[in-house]
Amino acid sequence: MNAILLGHLLLFAASALVCVASIPRARAIRHAGTREGLVGLLLSVSIWSGGYVGYLLAPTVRSKFAFYILGFSFAFVAVGAFLYFCAAYTGRPPRQAPYRNAVVSVFLLVIVLKVTNPLHHLYFTSEWTADPFPHLAIQHQLLYWVVLGLSYAVIAVGFFMLLEQFHHTDMDSRPIAILAGLTAVPAVATILGGRTDWLLPLMYEPLGVALFAVGTLFVYIRRFEAIRLTAGTNEPAIFLDADSRIWDYNHAAREIFPALQDSIGTRIEDVDRSLADRLTSQGILTITREDEPRYYQISLTPITSGGVITSQLVTITDVTERESYRRRLEEKTEQLEALNRVVHHDIRNDMAVIYGWAETLHDHVDEDGVDPLERILQKSQHVIELTETVRTFVDSLSGDTTLELKPVDLRHHLETELTGVRESYPDVQIDVVGEIPETAVRANEMLASVFRNIVENAVRHTDVATPEIDVSCEEQSDSVRVRFADNGPGIPADRKDQIFRKGEKGLESPGTGLGLHLVSTLIEQFGGQVWVEDNEPRGTVFVVELAKAE
């Protein structure tokens, strides 16, 4: 057998066998897109190479044509599979690629033109020749070179994706880059084919793909997967082996942990003990940068093969905003608990003392002092009861208990608070329009504080000499609406939704000290609603809607 023929047979047969033998290894790759692309590439190259072997060994012209067109067509399939593999490996989902329908249409058109070449001969013509051995020689035509140039352009795009991926990893990616580069070297033989005595006019790229498959899948598979995992994510990531030694990390991880520089092969605990501790325990890692704390959630994903952990991916997520918010909530909860202690113990105890001493005055006041004393006793008892309700409310805000709701007499609480405001503010004109219904609503003793705060809010923010507040009630089938209409300056439209959220906070108001923010919170706890409307001709209307008690 001619040495050149034998050499070509051995090269293409070896390429086909190596690619077929590598498919089971490629199918073990965990990332679906990378696995699909690489398996498709190996399968198409094996058919491509097998087609060339058949072309060289087939005994008849018809069979030679059939094998050559088979290999020739799958050469273009391999180009598509290579681009699919590169896109998936570098984190670009191929199925979401733009203009994919147009690309598939062009791909199918090229395949059809290849298969139908015997009809139009736009790709190649052929003739028997005895140089360098008797065979059916192929003469490529213009369309072949056009499509070959298009294929090389597509392959170049794939190589650019790979090189960009290698750039974003701190692992030594040179072996993988060299292997990827080897797939392009045989292109020189393809271009020179037919112009050199010992090269046939064939496509020799299967040799490079075979080398890439052997090197990547059997020698550098761990590095191959490490590069994809660490460079293919926007999150800071570190790739560890089964013994917790650093295999790779991306630039984002190195910015957070500068000690990662030149740490490939080093155990993670020798690089950063605090990070290593978070791999085995729950919790947030705190790192101070430029005098500002940053908080990170550390996630560890074991990668197994045959039930055995072969490597681990460490993902570092910046949760500074979430953690800062959580810590602020904890601080607010502590403040509420402190307020709870003050209200329940200090104020309640003092009021109990005041109530006790006031009771002793019954036998020491004349007739004119009986009524004021009774008012003092009544208000003192009300404050004592209110502190207990406030305690329950604060506990509900901190999550320690659930606010207990019960049927509450709407008329009693509303009239009591309106009377109290009239006594505290003699210059304020408060009129009840219509009747206050004798109905019970779902609330608790804090409802009185809600009514008082809304009325006192109108008094405090008035801009007229004689504040006027009209109170009316509207009874519906399952709820009651209480309207407080004042003649004050009104509230701008862009602030109507903000006053409850960003209104007065803390213990700034008289009486119970509940600002509009807490009023809104209380009404929400009651299962009701509160909102603001414009009054005519001026002023504001606060509307409180409460559900009727069942």
Side-chain angles (χ1 to χ4, degrees):
M1 181 179 289
N2 182 275
I4 295 178
L5 173 60
L6 180 61
H8 280 76
L9 287 173
L10 290 176
L11 287 174
F12 285 115
S15 299
L17 292 174
V18 166
C19 289
V20 170
S22 301
I23 289 177
R25 186 81 168 177
R27 291 182 63 186
I29 294 175
R30 296 165 186 80
H31 186 247
T34 302
R35 179 178 65 250
E36 294 166 357
L38 192 53
V39 169
L41 176 62
L42 295 172
L43 184 60
S44 58
V45 169
S46 64
I47 298 174
W48 178 6
S49 298
Y52 281 175
V53 172
Y55 155 72
L56 293 172
L57 292 179
T60 65
V61 172
R62 185 181 297 273
S63 59
K64 284 182 178 293
F65 266 124
F67 277 113
Y68 182 81
I69 291 177
L70 176 67
F72 191 48
S73 299
F74 271 90
F76 198 65
V77 174
V79 172
F82 177 73
L83 186 63
Y84 188 103
F85 156 74
C86 293
Y89 180 73
T90 57
R92 301 171 173 89
R95 290 186 173 87
Q96 300 177 17
Y99 310 112
R100 58 185 180 278
N101 293 333
V103 171
V104 171
S105 299
V106 172
F107 174 82
L108 294 176
L109 175 62
V110 171
I111 295 297
V112 169
L113 289 174
K114 285 175 176 281
V115 173
T116 59
N117 182 78
L119 301 178
H120 50 71
H121 302 292
L122 296 176
Y123 263 104
F124 65 88
T125 57
S126 62
E127 62 179 1
W128 280 97
T129 180
D131 186 25
F133 56 86
H135 70 287
L136 185 66
I138 302 296
Q139 291 89 37
H140 294 129
Q141 303 303 310
L142 177 62
L143 188 56
Y144 167 85
W145 297 107
V146 171
V147 174
L148 183 64
L150 174 63
S151 300
Y152 283 165
V154 172
I155 292 171
V157 172
F159 274 122
F160 175 80
M161 294 181 187
L162 294 179
L163 293 175
E164 183 184 42
Q165 187 83 344
F166 299 154
H167 171 72
H168 287 294
T169 178
D170 283 312
M171 172 179 270
D172 183 8
S173 59
R174 287 173 296 180
I176 305 296
I178 291 172
L179 286 172
L182 287 176
T183 62
V185 172
V188 178
T190 298
I191 295 173
L192 297 178
R195 296 176 175 80
T196 305
D197 293 339
W198 47 275
L199 287 175
L200 297 178
L202 302 175
M203 301 176 72
Y204 292 87
E205 283 80 357
L207 308 178
V209 175
L211 287 173
F212 177 76
V214 171
T216 299
L217 297 175
F218 292 91
V219 180
Y220 294 105
I221 181 63
R222 292 171 69 181
R223 189 170 302 187
F224 173 76
E225 290 196 328
I227 291 172
R228 185 191 67 78
L229 288 169
T230 54
T233 176
N234 293 327
E235 296 264 346
I238 304 172
F239 192 77
L240 307 177
D241 66 9
D243 297 323
S244 296
R245 295 185 183 277
I246 298 172
W247 263 87
D248 192 17
Y249 51 86
N250 56 17
H251 294 322
R254 191 178 62 186
E255 288 182 2
I256 300 173
F257 303 99
L260 287 172
Q261 180 72 35
D262 300 325
S263 64
I264 301 298
T266 306
R267 294 182 67 86
I268 187 66
E269 56 263 31
D270 296 331
V271 174
D272 192 293
R273 169 59 64 178
S274 61
L275 174 60
D277 291 342
R278 289 297 180 273
L279 299 181
T280 56
S281 64
Q282 299 294 324
I284 301 296
L285 179 62
T286 304
I287 298 177
T288 301
R289 304 175 64 184
E290 298 179 355
D291 298 328
E292 290 291 334
R294 305 292 299 181
Y295 304 104
Y296 298 94
Q297 180 75 54
I298 309 300
S299 303
L300 183 64
T301 304
I303 299 173
T304 60
S305 178
V308 178
I309 296 178
T310 58
S311 53
Q312 305 171 89
L313 178 65
V314 180
T315 305
I316 305 152
T317 306
D318 191 328
V319 293
T320 300
E321 183 175 350
R322 185 187 72 191
E323 181 64 13
S324 298
Y325 179 69
R326 186 189 68 81
R327 296 189 178 212
R328 288 196 299 271
L329 286 181
E330 284 187 350
E331 183 179 355
K332 292 293 184 183
T333 300
E334 292 176 357
Q335 293 172 350
L336 284 173
E337 291 173 349
L339 172 63
N340 193 11
R341 289 191 295 271
V342 169
V343 169
H344 185 64
H345 294 286
D346 301 346
I347 298 178
R348 188 177 189 277
N349 290 343
D350 287 349
M351 286 308 304
V353 171
I354 293 173
Y355 182 83
W357 281 106
E359 279 193 315
T360 65
L361 297 177
H362 272 298
D363 298 332
H364 302 283
V365 297
D366 56 21
E367 185 176 348
D368 293 336
V370 171
D371 184 62
L373 178 59
E374 288 298 329
R375 290 177 180 271
I376 292 173
L377 290 172
Q378 180 183 359
K379 289 298 182 181
S380 298
Q381 184 62 39
H382 178 67
V383 171
I384 292 172
E385 294 173 354
L386 195 58
T387 57
E388 192 64 35
T389 305
V390 170
R391 178 190 182 187
T392 303
F393 172 69
V394 172
D395 286 343
S396 71
L397 290 181
S398 60
D400 294 334
T401 187
T402 302
L403 192 66
E404 182 181 354
L405 302 182
K406 60 183 180 180
V408 173
D409 187 335
L410 174 67
R411 171 183 283 186
H412 170 73
H413 283 77
L414 183 55
E415 288 182 341
T416 299
E417 294 312 312
L418 293 180
T419 299
V421 173
R422 289 188 182 102
E423 293 176 352
S424 301
Y425 301 95
D427 295 334
V428 177
Q429 180 179 334
I430 300 178
D431 296 322
V432 177
V433 181
E435 295 290 330
I436 300 176
E438 295 184 3
T439 186
V441 294
R442 292 179 69 250
N444 59 26
E445 298 301 324
M446 294 292 287
L447 178 61
S449 299
V450 171
F451 291 152
R452 179 185 297 183
N453 185 79
I454 291 177
V455 175
E456 289 183 343
N457 180 76
V459 174
R460 287 195 308 273
H461 295 93
T462 188
D463 60 349
V464 296
T466 304
E468 297 178 3
I469 301 174
D470 291 337
V471 181
S472 60
C473 296
E474 179 184 349
E475 189 172 7
Q476 299 178 334
S477 60
D478 56 356
S479 65
V480 179
R481 289 183 180 179
V482 184
R483 303 172 66 87
F484 301 87
D486 63 52
N487 63 341
I491 299 174
D494 59 351
R495 293 199 65 244
K496 283 186 172 64
D497 294 332
Q498 299 178 11
I499 58 172
F500 298 109
R501 184 174 64 253
K502 298 180 180 179
E504 296 184 40
K505 300 178 182 179
L507 300 177
E508 299 175 358
S509 302
T512 66
L514 293 174
L516 291 181
H517 174 68
L518 289 182
V519 167
S520 175
T521 303
L522 275 171
I523 295 300
E524 184 178 345
Q525 294 257 2
F526 297 160
Q529 298 182 71
V530 58
W531 66 90
V532 177
E533 298 174 355
D534 292 329
N535 195 16
E536 295 295 339
R538 76 190 306 266
T540 303
V541 180
F542 278 83
V543 184
V544 175
E545 183 173 36
L546 298 165
K548 289 183 177 180
E550 297 178 355

